[in-house]
Amino acid sequence: MNEKEIEKIVLKWLANYWEEYDEGIIKASIRPALCRIEKNFRAAASRRLFDGEKVNFSLYHTVSSSIFLYYLSREVYVCGGGYFGSGYCVLFE
């Protein structure tokens, strides 16, 4: 999956749960989250995550997706996206 495909999927997921969210913060947070995925998967002992040549990442794999969403939510929070409107919003539970 490339970054644009991931962005499209993530924005579609968010649209299913929230009417309002800052698309710019989400888009800006995807690349740093993917960089953390790559760094951590490269260090993993499992060949399912890194086969010695490339990182095996897919949003359709439950474990990969959960880890990515955790990193993404952290990046969104760090970028100041933890607050939307007047209330606190938890992006991913």
Side-chain angles (χ1 to χ4, degrees), residues 18 20-21 77 80-91:
W18 292 281
E20 295 182 34
Y21 56 90
Y77 182 78
Y83 294 89
F84 295 117
S86 61
Y88 183 74
C89 177
V90 177
L91 289 180

Side-chain angles (χ1 to χ4, degrees), residues 5-43:
E5 291 171 324
I6 292 169
E7 181 181 294
K8 184 178 174 182
I9 291 168
V10 168
L11 292 175
K12 188 170 185 132
W13 284 349
L14 287 174
N16 288 327
Y17 292 100
W18 292 281
E19 293 179 12
E20 295 182 34
Y21 56 90
D22 190 331
E23 192 172 304
I25 289 176
I26 302 297
K27 287 180 177 181
S29 299
I30 290 174
R31 181 176 298 257
L34 288 173
C35 288
R36 288 190 71 180
I37 286 282
E38 183 171 355
K39 178 183 175 187
N40 290 337
F41 281 21
R42 283 183 180 278

Side-chain angles (χ1 to χ4, degrees), residues 41-86:
F41 281 21
R42 283 183 180 278
S46 173
R47 289 280 193 207
R48 290 177 49 190
L49 300 176
F50 180 64
D51 65 9
E53 293 181 18
K54 72 174 198 140
V55 171
N56 297 315
F57 171 75
S58 173
L59 284 178
Y60 301 116
H61 184 261
T62 305
V63 173
S64 297
S65 178
S66 296
I67 294 169
F68 171 74
L69 292 177
Y70 171 79
Y71 289 150
L72 180 63
S73 65
R74 182 194 175 282
E75 291 298 327
V76 167
Y77 182 78
V78 168
C79 288
Y83 294 89
F84 295 117
S86 61

